Amino acid sequence: MGTGPYTKVANFRSPSYGLCGNPEYWQPMKQQIAGIRVLGLSRSDSANLAFVNGEAPVFRPST
């Protein structure tokens, strides 16, 4: 995954995976949340349906 703020794969369940915070990240104050969940949807129809059903929430961090 690289060297970003969220690199450790916490779980992998198709079609999604969860990432935990990287304890070695050089700017720990930028890790405002404990982890993220990434959805891998192959078609836009699947993405739209997941969003409508509340399975794909949109996260907008405060600035």
Side-chain angles (χ1 to χ4, degrees):
M1 280 292 164
T3 59
Y6 302 96
T7 57
K8 182 180 177 186
V9 176
N11 57 58
F12 183 84
R13 292 184 203 103
S14 184
S16 70
Y17 60 93
L19 297 174
C20 292
N22 177 359
E24 303 297 321
Y25 189 61
W26 68 287
Q27 291 180 311
M29 64 293 237
K30 291 196 173 185
Q31 292 173 306
Q32 299 294 315
I33 55 175
I36 58 175
R37 183 174 67 125
V38 179
L39 293 174
L41 301 170
S42 61
R43 300 180 48 203
S44 61
D45 292 345
S46 300
N48 289 336
L49 185 60
F51 181 75
V52 169
N53 289 336
E55 298 167 358
V58 175
F59 173 73
R60 292 189 178 124
S62 58
T63 57

